[in-house]
mmCIF file of all heavy atoms in Angstrom:
data_model
loop_
_atom_site.group_PDB
_atom_site.id
_atom_site.type_symbol
_atom_site.label_atom_id
_atom_site.label_comp_id
_atom_site.label_asym_id
_atom_site.label_seq_id
_atom_site.Cartn_x
_atom_site.Cartn_y
_atom_site.Cartn_z
ATOM 1 N N PRO T 82 5.037 21.253 18.019
ATOM 2 C CA PRO T 82 3.973 20.728 18.881
ATOM 3 C C PRO T 82 3.364 21.748 19.838
ATOM 4 O O PRO T 82 2.264 21.519 20.347
ATOM 5 C CB PRO T 82 4.669 19.609 19.655
ATOM 6 C CG PRO T 82 6.113 19.990 19.654
ATOM 7 C CD PRO T 82 6.336 20.690 18.343
ATOM 8 N N ASP T 83 4.040 22.851 20.073
ATOM 9 C CA ASP T 83 3.522 23.862 20.993
ATOM 10 C C ASP T 83 2.907 25.058 20.277
ATOM 11 O O ASP T 83 2.607 26.078 20.903
ATOM 12 C CB ASP T 83 4.641 24.358 21.921
ATOM 13 C CG ASP T 83 5.176 23.259 22.819
ATOM 14 O OD1 ASP T 83 4.384 22.353 23.163
ATOM 15 O OD2 ASP T 83 6.378 23.289 23.169
ATOM 16 N N ALA T 84 2.712 24.952 18.977
ATOM 17 C CA ALA T 84 2.201 26.079 18.190
ATOM 18 C C ALA T 84 0.755 26.390 18.572
ATOM 19 O O ALA T 84 -0.081 25.494 18.679
ATOM 20 C CB ALA T 84 2.294 25.771 16.705
ATOM 21 N N THR T 85 0.494 27.662 18.766
ATOM 22 C CA THR T 85 -0.872 28.109 19.034
ATOM 23 C C THR T 85 -1.616 28.215 17.705
ATOM 24 O O THR T 85 -1.027 28.055 16.638
ATOM 25 C CB THR T 85 -0.858 29.482 19.727
ATOM 26 O OG1 THR T 85 -0.293 30.441 18.825
ATOM 27 C CG2 THR T 85 -0.064 29.453 21.024
ATOM 28 N N GLY T 86 -2.890 28.517 17.776
ATOM 29 C CA GLY T 86 -3.665 28.704 16.560
ATOM 30 C C GLY T 86 -3.095 29.797 15.673
ATOM 31 O O GLY T 86 -3.034 29.650 14.450
ATOM 32 N N VAL T 87 -2.672 30.881 16.284
ATOM 33 C CA VAL T 87 -2.093 31.995 15.517
ATOM 34 C C VAL T 87 -0.782 31.565 14.874
ATOM 35 O O VAL T 87 -0.491 31.919 13.726
ATOM 36 C CB VAL T 87 -1.894 33.226 16.435
ATOM 37 C CG1 VAL T 87 -1.136 34.322 15.724
ATOM 38 C CG2 VAL T 87 -3.236 33.734 16.927
ATOM 39 N N GLU T 88 -0.005 30.788 15.602
ATOM 40 C CA GLU T 88 1.259 30.318 15.032
ATOM 41 C C GLU T 88 1.017 29.330 13.890
ATOM 42 O O GLU T 88 1.755 29.335 12.905
ATOM 43 C CB GLU T 88 2.118 29.691 16.126
ATOM 44 C CG GLU T 88 2.639 30.711 17.112
ATOM 45 C CD GLU T 88 3.243 30.122 18.362
ATOM 46 O OE1 GLU T 88 2.913 28.980 18.725
ATOM 47 O OE2 GLU T 88 4.064 30.833 18.982
ATOM 48 N N LEU T 89 -0.026 28.504 14.003
ATOM 49 C CA LEU T 89 -0.369 27.621 12.882
ATOM 50 C C LEU T 89 -0.771 28.433 11.660
ATOM 51 O O LEU T 89 -0.443 28.072 10.530
ATOM 52 C CB LEU T 89 -1.493 26.663 13.258
ATOM 53 C CG LEU T 89 -1.105 25.429 14.062
ATOM 54 C CD1 LEU T 89 -2.318 24.537 14.277
ATOM 55 C CD2 LEU T 89 0.015 24.657 13.410
ATOM 56 N N GLN T 90 -1.478 29.543 11.891
ATOM 57 C CA GLN T 90 -1.828 30.414 10.772
ATOM 58 C C GLN T 90 -0.561 30.955 10.111
ATOM 59 O O GLN T 90 -0.471 31.025 8.881
ATOM 60 C CB GLN T 90 -2.681 31.584 11.254
ATOM 61 C CG GLN T 90 -4.072 31.207 11.679
ATOM 62 C CD GLN T 90 -4.798 32.413 12.240
ATOM 63 O OE1 GLN T 90 -4.842 33.449 11.606
ATOM 64 N NE2 GLN T 90 -5.360 32.263 13.421
ATOM 65 N N SER T 91 0.410 31.331 10.918
ATOM 66 C CA SER T 91 1.670 31.847 10.371
ATOM 67 C C SER T 91 2.418 30.770 9.597
ATOM 68 O O SER T 91 2.970 31.036 8.521
ATOM 69 C CB SER T 91 2.558 32.371 11.507
ATOM 70 O OG SER T 91 1.947 33.466 12.126
ATOM 71 N N LEU T 92 2.444 29.557 10.131
ATOM 72 C CA LEU T 92 3.104 28.467 9.435
ATOM 73 C C LEU T 92 2.387 28.148 8.122
ATOM 74 O O LEU T 92 3.018 27.870 7.100
ATOM 75 C CB LEU T 92 3.179 27.229 10.337
ATOM 76 C CG LEU T 92 4.119 27.375 11.541
ATOM 77 C CD1 LEU T 92 3.869 26.257 12.539
ATOM 78 C CD2 LEU T 92 5.565 27.386 11.087
ATOM 79 N N GLY T 93 1.065 28.211 8.147
ATOM 80 C CA GLY T 93 0.293 28.035 6.915
ATOM 81 C C GLY T 93 0.578 29.145 5.931
ATOM 82 O O GLY T 93 0.681 28.910 4.717
ATOM 83 N N GLY T 94 0.716 30.356 6.436
ATOM 84 C CA GLY T 94 1.070 31.478 5.571
ATOM 85 C C GLY T 94 2.438 31.292 4.947
ATOM 86 O O GLY T 94 2.644 31.634 3.778
ATOM 87 N N ALA T 95 3.363 30.727 5.705
ATOM 88 C CA ALA T 95 4.700 30.462 5.159
ATOM 89 C C ALA T 95 4.624 29.427 4.036
ATOM 90 O O ALA T 95 5.277 29.575 2.997
ATOM 91 C CB ALA T 95 5.636 29.987 6.263
ATOM 92 N N ALA T 96 3.808 28.400 4.229
ATOM 93 C CA ALA T 96 3.629 27.387 3.175
ATOM 94 C C ALA T 96 3.015 28.029 1.927
ATOM 95 O O ALA T 96 3.431 27.748 0.801
ATOM 96 C CB ALA T 96 2.758 26.236 3.667
ATOM 97 N N GLY T 97 2.038 28.896 2.123
ATOM 98 C CA GLY T 97 1.426 29.599 0.999
ATOM 99 C C GLY T 97 2.411 30.521 0.306
ATOM 100 O O GLY T 97 2.405 30.641 -0.924
ATOM 101 N N PHE T 98 3.255 31.162 1.088
ATOM 102 C CA PHE T 98 4.276 32.047 0.517
ATOM 103 C C PHE T 98 5.241 31.257 -0.359
ATOM 104 O O PHE T 98 5.559 31.667 -1.483
ATOM 105 C CB PHE T 98 5.035 32.768 1.640
ATOM 106 C CG PHE T 98 6.154 33.641 1.143
ATOM 107 C CD1 PHE T 98 5.882 34.849 0.530
ATOM 108 C CD2 PHE T 98 7.474 33.246 1.284
ATOM 109 C CE1 PHE T 98 6.909 35.652 0.061
ATOM 110 C CE2 PHE T 98 8.505 34.038 0.816
ATOM 111 C CZ PHE T 98 8.225 35.250 0.208
ATOM 112 N N VAL T 99 5.702 30.115 0.140
ATOM 113 C CA VAL T 99 6.608 29.273 -0.645
ATOM 114 C C VAL T 99 5.908 28.809 -1.925
ATOM 115 O O VAL T 99 6.511 28.766 -2.998
ATOM 116 C CB VAL T 99 7.107 28.076 0.188
ATOM 117 C CG1 VAL T 99 7.869 27.077 -0.664
ATOM 118 C CG2 VAL T 99 7.977 28.565 1.335
ATOM 119 N N ALA T 100 4.620 28.486 -1.819
ATOM 120 C CA ALA T 100 3.859 28.074 -3.000
ATOM 121 C C ALA T 100 3.831 29.177 -4.043
ATOM 122 O O ALA T 100 4.025 28.928 -5.240
ATOM 123 C CB ALA T 100 2.434 27.689 -2.607
ATOM 124 N N MET T 101 3.593 30.390 -3.619
ATOM 125 C CA MET T 101 3.502 31.487 -4.570
ATOM 126 C C MET T 101 4.869 31.867 -5.139
ATOM 127 O O MET T 101 4.976 32.231 -6.313
ATOM 128 C CB MET T 101 2.826 32.707 -3.928
ATOM 129 C CG MET T 101 1.363 32.446 -3.579
ATOM 130 S SD MET T 101 0.393 31.586 -4.850
ATOM 131 C CE MET T 101 0.508 32.688 -6.225
ATOM 132 N N VAL T 102 5.921 31.760 -4.345
ATOM 133 C CA VAL T 102 7.267 31.983 -4.878
ATOM 134 C C VAL T 102 7.556 30.945 -5.956
ATOM 135 O O VAL T 102 8.064 31.271 -7.037
ATOM 136 C CB VAL T 102 8.329 31.938 -3.753
ATOM 137 C CG1 VAL T 102 9.736 31.838 -4.317
ATOM 138 C CG2 VAL T 102 8.200 33.152 -2.847
ATOM 139 N N ASN T 103 7.200 29.687 -5.671
ATOM 140 C CA ASN T 103 7.373 28.623 -6.663
ATOM 141 C C ASN T 103 6.585 28.943 -7.934
ATOM 142 O O ASN T 103 7.089 28.785 -9.048
ATOM 143 C CB ASN T 103 6.918 27.287 -6.070
ATOM 144 C CG ASN T 103 7.154 26.124 -6.997
ATOM 145 O OD1 ASN T 103 8.261 25.931 -7.467
ATOM 146 N ND2 ASN T 103 6.113 25.362 -7.256
ATOM 147 N N TYR T 104 5.365 29.406 -7.769
ATOM 148 C CA TYR T 104 4.513 29.731 -8.919
ATOM 149 C C TYR T 104 5.124 30.855 -9.761
ATOM 150 O O TYR T 104 5.193 30.758 -10.983
ATOM 151 C CB TYR T 104 3.119 30.137 -8.428
ATOM 152 C CG TYR T 104 2.205 30.598 -9.517
ATOM 153 C CD1 TYR T 104 1.602 29.685 -10.378
ATOM 154 C CD2 TYR T 104 1.934 31.951 -9.702
ATOM 155 C CE1 TYR T 104 0.755 30.107 -11.399
ATOM 156 C CE2 TYR T 104 1.088 32.376 -10.708
ATOM 157 C CZ TYR T 104 0.505 31.450 -11.553
ATOM 158 O OH TYR T 104 -0.329 31.869 -12.551
ATOM 159 N N PHE T 105 5.571 31.911 -9.100
ATOM 160 C CA PHE T 105 6.103 33.048 -9.839
ATOM 161 C C PHE T 105 7.480 32.774 -10.443
ATOM 162 O O PHE T 105 7.895 33.453 -11.376
ATOM 163 C CB PHE T 105 6.132 34.301 -8.967
ATOM 164 C CG PHE T 105 4.772 34.867 -8.713
ATOM 165 C CD1 PHE T 105 4.276 34.982 -7.435
ATOM 166 C CD2 PHE T 105 3.961 35.260 -9.763
ATOM 167 C CE1 PHE T 105 3.000 35.493 -7.196
ATOM 168 C CE2 PHE T 105 2.688 35.768 -9.547
ATOM 169 C CZ PHE T 105 2.213 35.884 -8.257
ATOM 170 N N LEU T 106 8.198 31.783 -9.913
ATOM 171 C CA LEU T 106 9.497 31.430 -10.481
ATOM 172 C C LEU T 106 9.390 30.422 -11.617
ATOM 173 O O LEU T 106 10.403 30.081 -12.237
ATOM 174 C CB LEU T 106 10.420 30.875 -9.389
ATOM 175 C CG LEU T 106 10.992 31.904 -8.428
ATOM 176 C CD1 LEU T 106 11.844 31.220 -7.375
ATOM 177 C CD2 LEU T 106 11.795 32.960 -9.159
ATOM 178 N N THR T 107 8.190 29.959 -11.923
ATOM 179 C CA THR T 107 8.004 28.972 -12.983
ATOM 180 C C THR T 107 8.653 29.404 -14.301
ATOM 181 O O THR T 107 9.352 28.592 -14.923
ATOM 182 C CB THR T 107 6.508 28.658 -13.171
ATOM 183 O OG1 THR T 107 5.990 28.157 -11.939
ATOM 184 C CG2 THR T 107 6.287 27.640 -14.256
ATOM 185 N N PRO T 108 8.479 30.630 -14.766
ATOM 186 C CA PRO T 108 9.169 31.026 -16.012
ATOM 187 C C PRO T 108 10.695 30.968 -15.876
ATOM 188 O O PRO T 108 11.383 30.598 -16.828
ATOM 189 C CB PRO T 108 8.707 32.467 -16.247
ATOM 190 C CG PRO T 108 7.438 32.593 -15.485
ATOM 191 C CD PRO T 108 7.587 31.694 -14.297
ATOM 192 N N ALA T 109 11.214 31.304 -14.709
ATOM 193 C CA ALA T 109 12.666 31.243 -14.509
ATOM 194 C C ALA T 109 13.158 29.805 -14.584
ATOM 195 O O ALA T 109 14.248 29.543 -15.104
ATOM 196 C CB ALA T 109 13.040 31.866 -13.161
ATOM 197 N N TYR T 110 12.368 28.853 -14.083
ATOM 198 C CA TYR T 110 12.752 27.445 -14.183
ATOM 199 C C TYR T 110 12.897 27.042 -15.648
ATOM 200 O O TYR T 110 13.812 26.301 -16.007
ATOM 201 C CB TYR T 110 11.715 26.538 -13.521
ATOM 202 C CG TYR T 110 11.504 26.747 -12.044
ATOM 203 C CD1 TYR T 110 10.278 26.457 -11.464
ATOM 204 C CD2 TYR T 110 12.513 27.210 -11.210
ATOM 205 C CE1 TYR T 110 10.060 26.626 -10.106
ATOM 206 C CE2 TYR T 110 12.313 27.385 -9.857
ATOM 207 C CZ TYR T 110 11.079 27.088 -9.307
ATOM 208 O OH TYR T 110 10.869 27.259 -7.969
ATOM 209 N N GLY T 111 11.988 27.515 -16.488
ATOM 210 C CA GLY T 111 12.058 27.203 -17.912
ATOM 211 C C GLY T 111 13.314 27.762 -18.558
ATOM 212 O O GLY T 111 13.958 27.089 -19.369
ATOM 213 N N VAL T 112 13.677 28.979 -18.197
ATOM 214 C CA VAL T 112 14.879 29.600 -18.746
ATOM 215 C C VAL T 112 16.120 28.832 -18.300
ATOM 216 O O VAL T 112 17.012 28.539 -19.107
ATOM 217 C CB VAL T 112 14.970 31.087 -18.319
ATOM 218 C CG1 VAL T 112 16.321 31.674 -18.645
ATOM 219 C CG2 VAL T 112 13.855 31.883 -18.962
ATOM 220 N N VAL T 113 16.183 28.488 -17.022
ATOM 221 C CA VAL T 113 17.340 27.742 -16.510
ATOM 222 C C VAL T 113 17.419 26.374 -17.185
ATOM 223 O O VAL T 113 18.507 25.925 -17.573
ATOM 224 C CB VAL T 113 17.268 27.609 -14.972
ATOM 225 C CG1 VAL T 113 18.298 26.625 -14.448
ATOM 226 C CG2 VAL T 113 17.446 28.973 -14.318
ATOM 227 N N HIS T 114 16.281 25.714 -17.338
ATOM 228 C CA HIS T 114 16.262 24.401 -17.993
ATOM 229 C C HIS T 114 16.792 24.498 -19.431
ATOM 230 O O HIS T 114 17.606 23.677 -19.863
ATOM 231 C CB HIS T 114 14.848 23.829 -17.979
ATOM 232 C CG HIS T 114 14.719 22.499 -18.629
ATOM 233 N ND1 HIS T 114 15.276 21.357 -18.095
ATOM 234 C CD2 HIS T 114 14.126 22.118 -19.783
ATOM 235 C CE1 HIS T 114 15.013 20.338 -18.886
ATOM 236 N NE2 HIS T 114 14.316 20.777 -19.920
ATOM 237 N N ALA T 115 16.341 25.500 -20.157
ATOM 238 C CA ALA T 115 16.798 25.684 -21.538
ATOM 239 C C ALA T 115 18.289 26.004 -21.574
ATOM 240 O O ALA T 115 19.025 25.479 -22.423
ATOM 241 C CB ALA T 115 15.999 26.791 -22.211
ATOM 242 N N LEU T 116 18.743 26.843 -20.669
ATOM 243 C CA LEU T 116 20.155 27.217 -20.618
ATOM 244 C C LEU T 116 21.032 26.015 -20.302
ATOM 245 O O LEU T 116 22.050 25.787 -20.965
ATOM 246 C CB LEU T 116 20.365 28.322 -19.572
ATOM 247 C CG LEU T 116 21.762 28.889 -19.436
ATOM 248 C CD1 LEU T 116 22.188 29.546 -20.749
ATOM 249 C CD2 LEU T 116 21.806 29.905 -18.307
ATOM 250 N N VAL T 117 20.634 25.230 -19.319
ATOM 251 C CA VAL T 117 21.406 24.035 -18.961
ATOM 252 C C VAL T 117 21.409 23.046 -20.128
ATOM 253 O O VAL T 117 22.438 22.422 -20.420
ATOM 254 C CB VAL T 117 20.845 23.386 -17.667
ATOM 255 C CG1 VAL T 117 21.434 22.000 -17.438
ATOM 256 C CG2 VAL T 117 21.115 24.289 -16.474
ATOM 257 N N GLY T 118 20.290 22.921 -20.812
ATOM 258 C CA GLY T 118 20.230 22.029 -21.977
ATOM 259 C C GLY T 118 21.185 22.465 -23.068
ATOM 260 O O GLY T 118 21.877 21.641 -23.688
#
Side-chain angles (χ1 to χ4, degrees):
D83 296 329
T85 64
V87 173
E88 290 168 337
L89 280 184
Q90 290 176 52
S91 296
L92 291 166
F98 177 74
V99 171
M101 294 316 300
V102 167
N103 184 53
Y104 175 76
F105 288 120
L106 285 178
T107 301
Y110 298 152
V112 169
V113 169
H114 180 68
L116 183 62
V117 168

